[in-house]
Amino acid sequence: MLNSGEDVKPFTPEKAKEIVMSLQQPAVFCNMVFNWPVLHWNAKYLSEVLDGRTIRFRMGMKKGDTAPQFETKCSYVEATLEEFLAWTSGQPTSVSRPFSCYDSSEYWAYADYKYIARIFEDKTEIFKDIMWSDFGFPGRNGKESTLWIGSAGANTPCHLDSYGCNLVLQIQGRKRWHLFPPSNTTFLYPTRIPYEESSIFSKVNIVSPDLRHYPQFRKAQAHVVTLNPGQVLFVPRHWWHYVESVDPITVSINSWIELDADHKARVEEAITRTLVCAIKSAETPSHVDAWLNPTEVEATSHEINLQYLNGAISAYLEYQTVTVSEDRDPSTHDTEKEASSCKRRKIQVNTKPEDYKSETHEAGFTVVKAKKLEKIPFGVHLIPVLPQSQEASSVGAGAVESDSRDLLSENEEGHFGKSRCTGKQSVMSNDCETLADQTDSDSTANSSQMAISTNDLLDCLVNPQVITLVADLLLERERV
């Protein structure tokens, strides 16, 4: 039995889950993982565990322009972690051979989206080093987690995840997160090119924005936090995020938590896939750009996409029927069933549409229920990530700031009031005029010399607002 106050975690698993299911803004959990064995997973340790196995690194330029460095614009290297460590430390190319064409002072490397269940498939005993059960998700461990290893400057373009919410543990080095609420979607100029299921990218390079082409970005409200080792960041559903490695080597893990809202999101993603694949596949081959993200295996056929769409709709309607039944008889509700954290784009690339319905049930798409908290217990153990303009406000000395100072030390005396977020925000903005402003501002700069492209058309057709409306119409038809 624990009898030392220092060994007691600030939140019980039940309380942590209530917080996760109630939070409407990003927040950092502190002192929740001090006994997790995964804290020893630095790059050197992982290199020894992988024992010469190669993994794929994405290579990007440290000095970019105003355009985002999408995955379609990067080059890729297959290398061992030992070779990666030699490259980052400036050792001779004979030791870091796969990286010999890349100067570490000019390039960064990122082993991103590495599913632990895959890269450690022959070492399953280490899955238990990750203990998401402390956050109220019993049985969730490394098998449902993703590994990220990068050098300084390695980044993920600004995007939102269509499915679930996210828990991220920083293990080695620091990462800086730029987060934007769902209400900022229009200001971030959403695009589905490059296309991958479950990710909506921003056309804006948020660290070096082109305000002439994307003037609405001035209205975006960034929440910025530097995540330190041992801290866990909670990213709510549909929050945009751009993530960059601050230190020479960074290691982090995350787990995506399925939500009930994902049932409808899968219908919306199926509609998007059908439209994007149909239109882009119809382009003249000589004019086709690299529109399919490397995480997507291939452009699926129209027939396959329609099957997938029908499967998603059927699954959603069945879920609604079950939900109504459970509401009438609460005793039938499965409160222990949990969802897979794997994003379909990264791990279910071979899913057959005809199997979609059964697989959604096997994955447990009904998430664990937890009561909503009326007041979030912010304090030194749970730090809200505030908008940049509010960091110096009267909320308290504990508010997360956008510099790289250690949160644990600078928030020891912090005092926090109620969360400033007034309600759950939707990715679909109610301000249709803003969408019109975006379209105008994005085209007027060069209107005299620019013709509408396929991608311009798609940016309108598969805009999140439009897709949500189409999904509502389709689901209403099926209910009749």
Side-chain angles (χ1 to χ4, degrees):
M1 176 181 293
L2 297 175
N3 52 25
S4 170
E6 294 181 357
D7 294 333
V8 177
K9 298 190 176 181
F11 306 110
T12 64
E14 295 75 19
K15 187 67 171 181
K17 175 178 284 186
E18 290 177 1
I19 293 170
V20 166
M21 293 302 176
S22 302
L23 273 170
Q24 302 298 316
Q25 69 180 96
V28 176
F29 286 88
C30 300
N31 306 314
M32 283 292 291
V33 299
F34 54 80
N35 64 333
W36 288 22
V38 74
L39 292 179
H40 299 294
W41 283 27
N42 57 36
K44 187 176 185 302
Y45 169 79
L46 291 172
S47 175
E48 295 170 354
V49 174
L50 288 172
D51 191 24
R53 176 172 178 172
T54 61
I55 56 178
R56 195 185 198 199
F57 289 85
R58 179 163 57 94
M59 308 299 298
M61 293 286 294
K62 288 186 176 180
K63 291 185 178 180
D65 54 22
T66 56
Q69 289 194 64
F70 292 127
E71 293 170 57
T72 50
K73 296 181 179 180
C74 294
S75 54
Y76 294 83
V77 164
E78 295 284 340
T80 65
L81 271 181
E82 184 178 7
E83 291 166 332
F84 166 74
L85 290 172
W87 177 71
T88 57
S89 62
Q91 294 185 30
T93 56
S94 59
V95 185
S96 57
R97 193 173 310 154
F99 297 97
S100 59
C101 296
Y102 302 93
D103 186 332
S104 60
S105 66
E106 298 179 0
Y107 288 86
W108 48 257
Y110 205 8
D112 51 1
Y113 296 107
K114 305 305 178 192
Y115 281 96
I116 292 173
R118 284 185 173 180
I119 63 173
F120 296 116
E121 58 187 353
D122 58 340
K123 297 179 174 63
T124 57
E125 67 277 3
I126 72 171
F127 292 171
K128 65 180 182 298
D129 288 0
I130 302 168
M131 302 154 52
W132 295 116
S133 57
D134 283 351
F135 286 85
F137 301 97
R140 184 180 293 265
N141 53 37
K143 186 178 179 181
E144 297 84 20
S145 302
T146 310
L147 178 66
W148 311 71
I149 306 169
S151 63
N155 63 79
T156 303
C158 187
H159 68 286
L160 70 77
D161 299 319
S162 301
Y163 306 140
C165 59
N166 197 0
L167 288 171
V168 186
L169 167 62
Q170 193 63 29
I171 297 173
Q172 179 179 3
R174 297 166 298 159
K175 276 187 173 177
R176 183 168 292 116
W177 287 71
H178 300 249
L179 302 114
F180 301 86
S183 59
N184 281 191
T185 292
T186 298
F187 308 145
L188 291 163
Y189 297 82
T191 183
R192 297 311 299 259
I193 304 297
Y195 172 77
E196 69 176 10
E197 180 172 344
S198 85
S199 290
I200 303 176
F201 290 102
S202 168
K203 296 168 74 173
V204 183
N205 178 350
I206 63 117
V207 295
S208 181
D210 182 349
L211 296 176
R212 185 171 68 90
H213 285 96
Y214 309 115
Q216 293 290 320
F217 180 67
R218 290 187 178 92
K219 301 178 182 179
Q221 191 171 50
H223 298 59
V224 185
V225 60
T226 300
L227 198 64
N228 294 278
Q231 297 176 338
V232 175
L233 173 66
F234 170 72
V235 182
R237 179 177 186 262
H238 283 177
W239 272 68
W240 293 83
H241 46 285
Y242 167 88
V243 191
E244 182 176 13
S245 295
V246 175
D247 292 320
I249 297 175
T250 62
V251 177
S252 56
I253 61 167
N254 82 293
S255 189
W256 284 286
I257 311 297
E258 290 278 355
L259 300 172
D260 284 336
D262 294 347
H263 291 281
K264 185 179 179 185
R266 292 183 187 278
V267 175
E268 295 173 349
E269 285 298 293
I271 295 169
T272 300
R273 174 182 286 274
T274 301
L275 291 174
V276 171
C277 288
I279 293 177
K280 292 298 289 186
S281 297
E283 281 188 304
T284 304
S286 60
H287 295 159
V288 175
D289 53 358
W291 63 274
L292 199 63
N293 219 43
T295 51
E296 292 287 331
V297 176
E298 61 182 357
T300 43
S301 70
H302 190 64
E303 179 183 7
I304 293 295
N305 290 335
L306 282 179
Q307 291 177 16
Y308 179 56
L309 173 58
N310 279 281
I313 290 176
S314 296
Y316 173 81
L317 294 175
E318 182 170 335
Y319 155 74
Q320 291 281 54
T321 301
V322 171
T323 300
V324 170
S325 174
E326 289 173 347
D327 288 342
R328 291 173 179 169
D329 184 6
S331 65
T332 65
H333 183 61
D334 182 4
T335 59
E336 296 301 322
K337 198 172 184 181
E338 292 190 7
S340 166
S341 69
C342 299
K343 300 177 72 176
R344 180 184 184 276
R345 62 171 180 166
K346 302 298 180 186
I347 197 147
Q348 298 177 357
V349 292
N350 294 318
T351 298
K352 296 179 180 179
E354 58 268 27
D355 296 334
Y356 176 81
K357 189 173 178 180
S358 62
E359 289 195 5
T360 58
H361 290 287
E362 290 173 7
F365 283 1
T366 299
V367 298
V368 184
K369 300 295 183 182
K371 70 177 183 180
K372 299 285 185 176
L373 299 177
E374 292 185 4
K375 185 175 182 179
I376 305 298
F378 289 129
V380 295
H381 303 298
L382 180 66
I383 307 171
V385 183
L386 299 176
Q388 287 182 302
S389 60
Q390 293 183 14
E391 285 169 1
S393 71
S394 58
V395 175
V400 174
E401 296 186 5
S402 60
D403 61 19
S404 58
R405 288 178 291 172
D406 193 301
L407 294 176
L408 293 176
S409 61
E410 73 179 23
N411 291 300
E412 290 180 351
E413 302 299 326
H415 174 74
F416 297 86
K418 191 174 182 180
S419 167
R420 289 186 172 235
C421 189
T422 56
K424 192 165 186 177
Q425 296 162 307
S426 169
V427 70
M428 180 177 174
S429 170
N430 292 322
D431 188 1
C432 294
E433 292 182 1
T434 308
L435 176 60
D437 291 340
Q438 170 189 319
T439 305
D440 291 341
S441 63
D442 206 15
S443 60
T444 53
N446 296 309
S447 59
S448 61
Q449 58 186 14
M450 185 178 72
I452 297 297
S453 69
T454 302
N455 291 354
D456 294 330
L457 178 62
L458 280 172
D459 283 342
C460 295
L461 285 178
V462 296
N463 181 282
Q465 296 182 34
V466 176
I467 291 298
T468 298
L469 176 60
V470 173
D472 288 340
L473 291 171
L474 281 176
L475 292 170
E476 187 61 36
R477 283 169 55 94
E478 294 299 316
R479 290 191 186 98
V480 176

